[in-house]
Amino acid sequence: MQSLNISTSAMRGIQQALDNTASNLANLDTIGYKRRQASFSELLSDSMNEQPKVDDQNRNTPFGLRVGSGARLGLTKLDLGQGNVKITDVPTDVMIEGDGYFAVTRQTDNKDDYFLTRDGNFNITRHKALNWYTLATPTGDYVLDKSGIPVQLTDPNQPIRIDAEGRVFNGDDDNPVAEIGIWKVNNPDQLQQVGKDLYDADLEDPIQLTDKYADAVTEGIATVRQGALEGSNVSMTEEMSQLVNIQRAYQLNSRAIGISDQMMGIANSIRSR
């Protein structure tokens, strides 16, 4: 029975790793997508057949026969490697070079929800509540500035320039009209993905944004590049190689279950004689 438990728990974790690889491959062309790496952890072990006291001389290993209980998917770690640069020459396309995230907001059920994203594919739109022009994602989420409010543009008909620090210049004015917020996340693995390349910012109001996250530009870990987008950091070659390893591990554990079933059948037939 122990062999069946070990193989079935391993197959369950392998299936989850396969789902993770499938998700990475599905987002191969998603702007700003960060792949996840599956890692396994060992389940608790049992100690059997404790040796007599005379056997403990010059022994460096633990006493008893250690019998494992299998493995499980312990963590899907976020790979923060930089994605490929896609030059678009579109003024509203913005790419983060380094570590950091854009903050966006969306109004649902008379309240504002806040998210983080690496997708800088923005466009100019009018904010429905504040009645000014701002930058927004293709799904309609408004981009926040360094103070936690949507970026404000003075004239949407004039060209915009965005420098390496995220400062937005509208028209020929040399004074920035806004500064796009680039936020540092201390532990990105704790970010919860909510779909559409967004992560839950875990905020109730914009005031908490500046309290919870540091300015990545001020920290010197991020710069902004206008007219470019960050592609996915998923490698087709690496994911296909991982897929082959997953298939082999699944076949091995499936075969182990079959052999265990045969052994149990033989044992039952011997007892019945």
Side-chain angles (χ1 to χ4, degrees), residues 17-122:
L18 179 61
D19 295 339
N20 180 75
T21 301
S23 176
N24 289 337
L25 290 173
N27 290 278
L28 185 64
D29 295 324
T30 301
I31 299 299
Y33 178 80
K34 299 298 182 183
R35 65 184 291 268
R36 285 192 173 272
Q37 296 174 297
S39 59
F40 290 86
S41 60
E42 184 181 3
L43 297 177
L44 294 177
S45 300
D46 296 329
S47 180
M48 301 175 59
N49 301 329
E50 198 74 29
Q51 286 90 352
K53 184 68 175 177
V54 69
D55 292 339
D56 66 355
Q57 297 178 1
N58 300 323
R59 183 184 180 93
N60 295 322
T61 58
F63 297 112
L65 177 64
R66 300 291 172 173
V67 180
S69 301
R72 68 179 181 88
L73 186 68
L75 175 68
T76 55
K77 184 176 178 59
L78 196 64
D79 183 0
L80 300 178
Q82 187 81 38
N84 296 326
V85 179
K86 295 186 176 181
I87 304 298
T88 63
D89 292 328
V90 177
T92 54
D93 285 346
V94 184
M95 171 184 171
I96 298 176
E97 293 182 312
D99 297 332
Y101 295 83
F102 299 109
V104 297
T105 182
R106 175 195 308 165
Q107 189 172 39
T108 55
D109 299 330
N110 297 324
K111 70 181 185 71
D112 292 328
D113 295 328
Y114 300 91
F115 307 96
L116 300 174
T117 182
R118 292 278 297 191
D119 187 356
N121 183 20
F122 303 142

Side-chain angles (χ1 to χ4, degrees), residues 142 150 256:
Y142 302 119

Side-chain angles (χ1 to χ4, degrees), residues 184-227:
K184 173 187 175 183
V185 179
N186 292 325
N187 191 358
D189 287 322
Q190 292 184 346
L191 293 177
Q192 180 182 0
Q193 290 180 300
V194 294
K196 298 181 180 179
D197 209 13
L198 297 175
Y199 303 91
D200 187 4
D202 193 22
L203 300 174
E204 296 294 335
D205 57 68
I207 298 178
Q208 295 179 344
L209 182 64
T210 55
D211 295 336
K212 187 171 184 178
Y213 301 110
D215 189 337
V217 176
T218 304
E219 294 280 332
I221 62 174
T223 58
V224 176
R225 182 172 180 176
Q226 186 182 17

